[in-house]
């Protein structure tokens, strides 16, 4: 029997060994590999799947050289991995491309591993910054650099970029045209990351690009709730890479390998220190459980496809409805980032958001207490409707991830109502004394909060976490109003249910990083003149000067999340 | 004229006073330095600590006069004293020591002078390392001071120490430096040490390579551990490399566990257990549970900490430990539970924090971690304990607890007149004021 034509026909039907033409992968859980170590990731991408039927295999490493990558000892680890995988790499042409380098490909694919390291190691040693880069343009250029037959594999190594995009689907098409499988070694993004929205006025993407971020297509959890100092989801590692990178892997038949620097320690507070412990907290619900996280993975079709699908999801419809209403009432400062459109949801233009009307409302605390009560009552009505609607949705309808987002929104609304009750109490009791409008006798060890040289001009708040649950708040003397006890009980019941389902997942962390507020007077600041401006320009290197990547939360590198599973 | 003489006579003591003071201070410094360099080993560290606290530049000329005649250990203290002084005086001292007879001192001087003259320092340091080869003690101490210092010529010299027959002590120090410096040429030389006849050398090489993800000599390390052929000092050297490794083979961890069950020295066992905890080696749990109730307190404590790190001390097991016969174990269990937001050990801690309890010092420290109203009065009581550390633990704990309970008050405990090092009467009075304040405010709404 002649098999030749059968083989040819089968290959044509199945597509080449690179995996093209088989987009059965639907979510990030399918492409993200377990583990967080560089050695394991490098072993897997270098060993690959073995030579293709034609025998030839070409591997191109596209490396985003940054200070973070240097600090991860990538050069050393790559050298060791090349040595360990020497048998698997026999006859494999390996090349190097560096983001931002002239001509991109600095070492054409070949068998000279020393040349590869000889180019990469000095570049890493010189890396002093973490510039913001459009990785996708480089991926397209790298896809076009392959030549010859055989299996083609592009391994993109970037610990800092991937959340700034120009045209993701064009990049997917470029990989398809060149029949290149794309593997990624990268870091986790944050859950439904809304940073690019919450900091819309501050983050500047390079020209002709958009700052995206987040593991999913859009930030699904309403953010900017009243009295939340920072967004819990923006500080919860998602367990997955930025959406764009996961999409490249999924569409090309590749895999995503995540890296986390070893030695991460739990920190309860995103900013400052936790008042409820001695910074020795060993939280029970923090380590991610892979099977729980995988179920909540974001979808990885094209943005258009995902948005079309999401428009039909009952949880999404309810969450967007709540979001819109809560924004109108002044309970949060953001608006939904998507809106219904023909064929599905569409991404709305990003708007710089200010604060909600209550905050910055002056020092008439009696009036503010009434306003807080009004807001709380409006929120309670919204909550009642939302909870009734949630109860009508079949638990297994729609996507588990969108259900988690809806339930997180529910918790955040409960928290907001509890915070409003706290604020009412503060306005009527502790607040007037703290702003000097009511008598308060100071007996040692109590001392005046502020010296006589300060002029109180307003008030602000700090949010403490739910990392330790609600017990610490019950012990604190919080100047509570009459509504607070009931709100706290309702929150307690809800949190027990929520954590039973979502602890050990990013959604659990997002809620634990949210919390209840304490309020304090603010004073007139000192005027500090800006430094003198100097003329002249700075020299540019081989690429345009880009902003160094901003820190997140307390000014760190973005690793403020819990250490996820190894 | 007589008036003038009287005036001069009156003023003379004043004029002499600074010189006398200087002479007195100088004699004190000299006496302390003589203790640092003297034969009484126990007197060295306290004298060194006092000199370090003073940071008096006047010490330098006296030190330089003595340094070259001191033994190696004293020279090391001397180098640290110079390190503790900033500025030109220290720089000048190091410059003088570049030509010292002692290779150790020359090497330290070269290290500290590197910024000023890299080429010369590199040459002097490399030469000092070579010269110290005949004195393993000096060589090891000099290598220890290199840390992460990066210089191609120095690294080449240190690599030259990785030869067959090298002593494990020197080898360990050289490998530590090359690990810190991330020397790219070292791995090939370390692989060659796999053929060394000494098991301890092969073990060091195996551990060093595991740091880089290379397992080719992991078997040698495993065998050496299993055979009890890795001395404690060598294990302490290679342990950080194993901690740095991304992955440790199971067979190696089994050998570590095997060693835990056979090794007689409790410090060594504790270090082995710590490694198992760090590697999250769950199969060790049954053995660790047996050691928890064993006779040795050091080992039991290490087992307890490891089980906690492995998550094998769930609430139930820890709660069980609250009834342990050993009060220190009960305290540790209560503290571990508290860290996981379980306050069920509070009563145990309160009982051990009472006056007269031998564990009061530690119990009061642990009590400060319980941010609850029930902790306040026992902490106030402990403010009047006879032991300074107990009082300090109580003060720190009370400050943290009150700060948390009263977020809308600004509290400064010292305004009650209390200080941990005040006389007993002042301490009692301050504590009484604190107690009165607490009674008046504990039920207030804010």
């Amino acid at each position: 029997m002649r098999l030749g034509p059968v083989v040819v026909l089968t290959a044509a039907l199945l597509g080449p060994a690179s995996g093209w033409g088989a987009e059965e992968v639907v979510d990030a859980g399918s492409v993200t590999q377990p583990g967080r170590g560089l050695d394991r990731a490098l072993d897997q991408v270098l060993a690959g799947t073995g030579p293709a039927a034609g025998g030839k295999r070409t591997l191109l490493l596209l490396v985003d050289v940054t200070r973070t990558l240097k600090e991860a000892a990538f050069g050393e680890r790559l050298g060791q991995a090349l040595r360990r995988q020497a048998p698997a790499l026999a006859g494999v042409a390996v090349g190097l491309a560096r983001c931002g380098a002239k001509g991109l490909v600095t070492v054409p694919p070949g068998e000279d591993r020393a040349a590869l390291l000889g180019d990469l190691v000095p570049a890493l040693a010189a890396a002093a910054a973490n510039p913001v880069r459009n990785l996708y343009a480089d991926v397209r250029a790298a896809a076009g650099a392959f030549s010859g037959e055989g299996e083609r594999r592009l391994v993109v190594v970037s610990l800092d970029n991937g959340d700034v995009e120009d045209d993701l689907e064009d990049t997917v098409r470029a990989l398809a045209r060149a029949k290149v499988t794309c593997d990624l070694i990268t870091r986790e993004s944050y859950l439904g990351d809304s940073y690019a929205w919450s900091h819309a006025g501050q983050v500047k993407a390079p020209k002709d690009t958009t700052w995206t971020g987040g593991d999913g297509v859009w930030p699904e959890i309403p953010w900017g709730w009243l009295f939340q100092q920072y967004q819990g989801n923006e500080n919860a590692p998602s367990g997955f890479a930025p959406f764009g990178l996961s999409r490249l892997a999924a569409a090309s038949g590749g895999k995503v390998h995540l890296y986390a620097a070893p030695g991460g320690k739990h920190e309860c507070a995103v900013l400052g220190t936790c008042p409820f412990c001695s910074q020795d907290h060993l939280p029970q619900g923090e380590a991610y459980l892979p099977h729980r996280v995988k179920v909540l993975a974001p979808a990885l079709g094209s943005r258009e496809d995902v948005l079309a699908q999401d428009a039909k999801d009952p949880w999404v419809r309810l969450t967007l409805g709540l979001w819109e209403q809560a924004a109108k009432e002044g309970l949060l400062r953001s608006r939904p980032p998507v809106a219904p459109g023909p064929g599905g949801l569409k991404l709305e233009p990003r708007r710089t958001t200010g604060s909600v009307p209550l905050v910055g409302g002056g020092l008439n605390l009696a009036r503010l207490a009434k306003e807080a009560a009004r807001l709380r009552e409006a929120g309670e009505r919204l909550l009642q409707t939302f909870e009734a609607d949630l109860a009508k949705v079949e638990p297994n309808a729609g996507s588990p991830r969108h259900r988690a987002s809806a339930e997180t929104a529910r918790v955040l609304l409960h928290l907001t109502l509890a915070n409003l009750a706290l604020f009412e109490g503060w306005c009527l009791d502790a607040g007037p004394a703290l702003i000097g409008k009511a008598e308060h006798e100071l007996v040692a060890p109590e001392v005046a909060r502020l010296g006589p040289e300060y002029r109180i001009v307003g008030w602000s708040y700090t949010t403490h976490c739910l990392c330790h649950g609600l017990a610490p708040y019950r012990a604190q003397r919080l100047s509570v109003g009459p509504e607070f006890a009931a709100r706290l009980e309702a929150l307690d019941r809800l949190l027990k249910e929520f954590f039973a389902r979502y602890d050990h997942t990013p959604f659990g962390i997002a809620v634990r990083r949210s919390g209840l507020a304490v309020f304090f007077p603010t004073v007139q600041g000192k005027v500090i003149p800006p430094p003198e401006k100097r003329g002249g320009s700075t020299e540019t290197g081989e690429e345009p000067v880009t902003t160094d990547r901003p820190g997140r939360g307390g000014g760190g590198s973005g690793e403020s999340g819990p250490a996820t599973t190894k | 004229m007589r008036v003038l003489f009287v005036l001069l006579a009156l003023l003379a003591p004043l004029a002499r006073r600074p010189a006398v003071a200087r002479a007195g201070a100088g004699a004190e410094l000299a006496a302390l330095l003589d203790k640092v360099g003297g034969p009484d080993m126990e007197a060295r560290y306290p004298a060194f600590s006092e000199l370090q606290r003073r940071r008096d530049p006047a010490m330098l000329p006296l030190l330089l006069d003595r340094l070259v005649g001191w033994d190696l250990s004293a020279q090391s203290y001397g180098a640290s004293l110079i390190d503790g002084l900033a500025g030109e005086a220290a720089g000048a001292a190091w410059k003088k020591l570049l030509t010292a007879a002692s290779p150790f001192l020359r090497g330290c001087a070269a290290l500290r002078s590197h910024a000023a003259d890299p080429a010369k320092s590199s040459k002097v340091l490399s030469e000092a390392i070579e010269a110290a080869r005949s004195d393993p003690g000096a060589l090891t101490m000099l290598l220890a001071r290199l840390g992460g210092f990066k210089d191609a010529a120095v690294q080449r010299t240190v690599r030259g120490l990785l030869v067959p027959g090298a002593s494990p002590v020197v080898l360990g120090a050289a490998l530590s430096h090359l690990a810190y410096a991330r020397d790219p040429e070292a791995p090939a030389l370390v692989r060659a040490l796999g053929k060394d006849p000494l098991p301890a050398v092969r073990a060091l090489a195996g551990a060093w390579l595991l740091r880089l993800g290379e397992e080719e000599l992991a078997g040698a390390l495993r065998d050496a551990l299993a055979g009890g052929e890795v001395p404690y000092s060598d294990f302490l050297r290679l342990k950080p490399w194993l901690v740095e490794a991304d992955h440790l083979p199971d067979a190696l961890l089994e050998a570590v566990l095997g060693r835990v069950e056979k090794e007689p020295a409790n410090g060594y066992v504790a270090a082995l257990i710590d490694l198992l905890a760090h590697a999250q080696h769950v199969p060790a749990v049954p053995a660790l549970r047996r050691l928890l109730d064993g006779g040795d307190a050091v080992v039991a404590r290490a087992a307890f900490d490891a089980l906690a790190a492995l998550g094998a001390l769930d609430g139930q097991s820890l709660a069980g430990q609250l009834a342990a016969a050993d009060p220190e174990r009960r305290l540790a269990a209560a503290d571990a539970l508290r860290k996981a937001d379980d306050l069920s050990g509070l009563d145990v801690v309160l009982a051990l924090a009472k006056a007269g309890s031998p564990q009061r010092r530690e119990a009061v420290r642990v009590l400060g971690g319980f941010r609850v109203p029930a902790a306040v009065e026992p902490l106030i009581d402990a403010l009047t304990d006879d032991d300074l550390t107990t009082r300090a633990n109580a003060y720190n704990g009370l400050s943290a607890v009150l700060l948390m309970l009263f977020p809308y008050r600004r509290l400064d405990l010292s305004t009650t007149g209390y200080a941990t090092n005040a006389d007993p009467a002042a301490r009692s009075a301050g504590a009484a004021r604190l107690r009165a304040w607490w009674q008046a405010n504990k039920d207030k709404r804010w």
Side-chain angles (χ1 to χ4, degrees):
Chain A
M1 183 182 169
R2 288 175 63 205
L3 293 176
V6 174
V7 170
V8 168
L9 181 59
T10 308
L13 286 172
L14 291 178
S18 64
W20 282 104
E23 265 208 55
E24 71 276 15
V25 167
V26 291
D27 66 31
S30 313
V31 296
T32 307
Q33 299 301 285
R36 293 287 186 275
L38 260 183
D39 290 342
R40 186 180 186 163
L42 284 167
D43 282 340
Q44 291 190 358
V45 302
L46 293 179
T49 55
K56 195 171 176 246
R57 192 166 153 238
T58 307
L59 193 66
L60 182 63
L61 297 167
L62 173 60
V63 180
D64 179 19
V65 172
T66 57
R67 187 183 64 230
T68 314
L69 196 64
K70 175 172 79 173
E71 287 164 1
F74 181 72
E76 197 179 289
R77 300 240 179 239
L78 177 62
Q80 295 307 316
L82 285 169
R83 210 187 147 270
R84 281 194 303 276
Q85 297 302 328
L89 289 170
V92 176
V94 183
L96 176 69
R98 284 192 279 115
C99 297
K102 223 179 225 171
L104 191 69
V105 178
T106 52
V107 179
E111 299 204 35
D112 187 350
R113 312 301 183 223
L116 194 151
L117 292 170
D119 180 87
L120 179 61
V121 169
L124 279 168
N130 295 324
V132 177
R133 288 188 174 121
N134 172 13
L135 213 54
Y136 299 88
D138 286 336
V139 170
R140 291 194 297 275
F146 283 87
S147 61
E149 296 302 314
E151 187 197 338
R152 297 169 168 188
R153 211 153 191 112
L154 176 68
V155 178
V156 179
V157 183
S158 177
L159 301 187
D160 292 284
N161 288 296
D163 54 357
V164 164
E165 296 176 23
D166 53 1
D167 192 331
L168 172 60
E169 291 308 309
D170 193 34
T171 312
V172 167
R173 287 188 291 270
L175 289 169
R177 275 195 304 273
K179 296 190 173 31
V180 171
T181 304
C182 186
D183 291 318
L184 284 307
I185 299 179
T186 185
R187 284 200 291 188
E188 276 170 277
S189 56
Y190 291 100
L191 173 67
D193 197 3
S194 43
Y195 191 88
W197 281 259
S198 63
H199 293 72
Q202 297 162 39
V203 294
K204 295 275 180 266
K207 193 165 173 279
D208 298 327
T209 65
T210 306
W211 205 306
T212 54
D215 52 336
V217 164
W218 56 283
E220 308 104 313
I221 301 173
W223 58 269
W225 292 93
L226 193 49
F227 299 135
Q228 295 304 318
Q229 201 172 355
Y230 39 77
Q231 322 313 320
N233 62 294
E234 289 177 16
N235 294 281
S238 66
F240 305 107
F243 170 76
L245 297 182
S246 296
R247 171 79 182 133
L248 293 184
S252 68
K255 296 291 180 197
V256 175
H257 304 267
L258 296 175
Y259 167 75
K265 184 182 170 292
H266 168 77
E267 290 188 19
C268 302
V270 174
L271 295 170
T273 53
C274 176
F276 305 142
C277 68
S278 313
Q279 283 67 63
D280 55 1
H281 192 201
L282 294 175
Q284 296 305 288
E286 181 150 298
Y288 286 176
L289 291 174
H291 64 277
R292 280 195 178 192
V293 174
K294 204 168 171 182
V295 162
L296 302 171
L300 284 187
S302 69
R303 275 207 169 81
E304 200 181 309
D305 288 346
V306 171
L307 287 168
Q309 192 61 31
D310 285 353
K312 300 177 209 157
D313 191 294
W315 307 105
V316 169
R317 286 204 298 268
L318 288 177
T319 306
L320 290 177
L322 171 72
W323 200 333
E324 189 69 49
Q325 288 305 309
K328 281 190 181 138
E329 294 290 354
L331 292 168
L332 48 65
R333 62 183 176 91
S334 68
R335 300 195 74 91
V338 293
L345 298 174
K346 61 175 179 54
L347 285 165
E348 292 277 88
R350 286 173 213 183
R351 288 165 273 227
T352 308
T353 53
S355 58
V356 287
L358 186 64
V359 176
L363 283 172
N364 184 338
L365 298 188
R367 181 184 61 75
L368 285 171
K370 285 191 182 128
E371 179 60 16
R374 186 196 68 74
L375 275 171
R376 183 178 45 73
E377 284 155 15
E380 278 165 5
R381 287 190 294 274
L382 266 182
L383 180 65
Q384 217 172 9
T385 308
F386 188 57
E387 287 184 332
D389 288 341
L390 284 176
K392 289 177 196 157
V393 180
E394 280 296 321
N396 294 327
S399 127
R401 181 181 173 91
H402 290 316
R403 179 182 172 185
S405 300
E407 292 185 349
T408 304
R410 182 183 173 202
V411 171
L412 293 172
L413 179 52
H414 267 272
L415 264 178
T416 304
L417 302 182
N419 274 320
L420 281 163
L422 273 176
F423 183 61
E424 274 176 74
W426 185 81
C427 284
L428 297 173
D429 197 353
L434 292 177
I435 65 169
K437 292 208 174 148
E439 289 297 319
H440 176 68
E441 192 193 358
L442 296 176
V443 174
E446 191 174 2
V447 296
R449 210 175 166 93
L450 295 165
E453 69 275 26
Y454 290 103
R455 189 166 80 88
I456 293 171
V457 295
W459 59 271
S460 187
Y461 61 90
T462 294
T463 317
H464 293 140
C465 64
L466 289 174
C467 212
H468 299 270
L470 290 178
Y473 296 105
R474 292 185 201 281
Q476 284 189 303
R477 277 70 175 143
L478 288 173
S479 177
V480 300
E483 302 298 328
F484 183 69
R487 283 275 117 237
L488 199 66
E489 284 314 308
L491 186 58
D492 197 10
R493 284 192 299 274
L494 178 63
L495 285 175
K496 283 188 171 78
E497 199 185 296
F498 183 87
F499 289 135
R501 197 177 173 83
Y502 294 114
D503 255 344
H504 306 289
T505 77
F507 290 88
I509 299 297
V511 165
R512 288 196 187 274
R513 293 269 151 92
S514 310
L516 295 174
V518 290
F519 311 93
F520 53 87
T522 53
V523 299
Q524 188 158 35
K526 238 192 246 183
V527 175
I528 301 173
E532 267 182 43
K533 278 192 181 170
R534 290 187 188 155
S537 61
T538 51
E539 223 173 25
T540 57
E542 43 179 25
E543 55 175 326
V545 169
T546 54
T547 331
D548 201 16
R549 190 160 275 279
R552 299 280 290 260
S557 63
E559 301 238 79
S560 58
T564 55
T565 52
K566 227 185 159 186
Chain B
M1 190 62 105
R2 198 183 298 170
V3 169
L4 182 59
F5 281 137
V6 167
L7 269 173
L8 283 171
L10 284 172
L11 288 171
L14 288 172
R16 273 203 301 276
R17 200 163 294 150
V20 166
R22 282 198 299 274
E28 264 184 41
L29 291 173
L32 284 167
L33 284 167
D34 287 338
K35 281 186 181 162
V36 172
D40 182 356
M41 301 303 254
E42 288 198 14
R44 285 185 176 187
Y45 184 72
F48 162 75
S49 288
E50 177 56 22
L51 285 165
Q52 216 179 29
R53 188 190 65 78
R54 290 187 188 202
R55 291 184 196 277
D56 188 342
M59 153 182 70
L60 266 177
L62 303 170
L63 173 59
L64 288 173
D65 279 344
R66 288 159 169 76
L67 201 51
V68 292
W70 283 354
D71 62 34
L72 183 60
S73 155
Q75 282 184 353
S76 179
Y77 279 130
S80 297
L81 285 171
I82 302 175
D83 271 344
L85 296 168
E88 285 180 19
W94 286 124
K95 204 170 167 188
K96 277 197 181 140
L97 289 171
L98 281 171
T99 51
S102 149
F104 171 73
L105 288 174
R106 285 205 305 281
C108 290
L111 259 178
R112 292 295 175 255
S113 311
H114 191 262
D117 189 341
K120 180 179 175 187
S121 295
S122 171
K123 189 165 177 288
V124 170
L125 183 49
S126 299
E127 176 275 326
I129 292 170
E130 282 294 342
R133 280 176 96 139
S134 55
D135 181 353
L139 180 57
T140 310
M141 284 179 77
L142 181 53
L143 289 171
R145 282 183 176 256
L146 291 179
F149 176 71
K150 285 180 84 73
D151 177 283
V154 170
Q155 279 163 239
R156 192 166 47 245
T157 309
V158 175
R159 284 198 302 272
L161 300 172
L162 306 183
V163 292
S167 98
V169 172
V170 168
L171 206 58
L175 287 173
S176 287
H177 166 61
L178 293 169
Y180 274 128
R182 299 205 175 278
D183 187 279
E185 295 184 50
L189 296 168
V190 178
R191 280 178 218 120
L193 291 173
K195 298 188 179 68
D196 195 281
L198 277 183
V201 169
R202 297 197 300 271
L204 283 168
W208 198 91
L209 290 171
L210 275 169
R211 192 181 61 81
L212 300 175
E214 277 191 39
E215 295 188 8
E216 91 180 44
L217 294 181
L221 173 60
R222 177 202 62 219
D223 293 342
L225 277 169
E229 290 166 312
V230 179
Y232 183 26
S233 54
D234 287 336
F235 182 76
L236 290 179
R237 171 81 64 189
L238 59 84
K239 187 171 163 245
W241 305 334
L242 298 178
V243 165
E244 200 184 322
D246 259 2
H247 166 70
L248 294 178
D250 284 342
L252 173 63
L253 293 170
E254 283 306 307
V256 171
L257 180 57
R259 197 79 244 134
V260 163
E261 292 176 301
K262 292 184 192 132
E263 179 57 49
N266 62 4
Y268 197 169
V269 174
L272 290 161
I273 290 174
D274 186 62
L275 178 63
L276 290 170
H278 183 86
Q280 291 285 298
H281 189 59
V282 172
V285 166
L288 292 174
R289 284 208 169 114
R290 285 194 296 275
L291 290 170
L292 200 55
D293 296 313
D296 189 290
V298 168
V299 170
R301 182 63 201 244
F304 181 90
D305 290 342
L307 286 165
L310 287 164
L313 275 182
D314 55 16
Q316 202 175 359
S317 342
L318 280 171
Q321 293 294 316
L322 291 176
D326 176 7
E328 286 183 21
R329 178 80 58 77
R330 297 202 297 274
L331 262 182
D335 202 21
L337 283 165
R338 192 265 312 155
K339 287 176 188 171
D341 298 317
D342 181 337
L343 305 187
S344 57
L346 178 60
D347 285 343
V348 164
V349 180
L350 289 171
L352 290 169
K354 288 193 166 108
S357 157
Q359 287 78 35
R360 194 181 203 195
R361 183 192 284 188
E362 174 64 2
V364 165
R365 187 197 68 75
V366 169
L367 187 58
F370 285 76
R371 306 281 161 94
V372 292
V376 173
E377 292 197 49
L379 287 171
I380 294 175
D381 290 341
L383 289 174
T384 52
D385 194 272
D386 290 336
D387 176 57
L388 173 62
T389 306
T390 303
R391 296 197 299 272
N393 287 344
Y395 188 91
N396 294 335
L398 188 63
S399 300
V401 173
L402 290 177
L403 177 69
M404 180 275 193
L405 292 178
F406 294 94
Y408 292 132
R409 312 276 195 118
R410 188 163 161 239
L411 303 173
D412 178 353
L413 305 194
S414 67
T415 56
T416 60
Y418 181 86
T420 52
N421 58 357
D423 62 75
R427 295 198 304 253
S428 290
R433 281 186 208 104
L434 278 166
R435 197 171 285 110
W437 184 89
W438 169 245
Q439 289 302 324
N441 288 275
K442 64 183 181 178
D443 296 321
K444 293 264 172 79
R445 278 154 35 99
W446 64 276

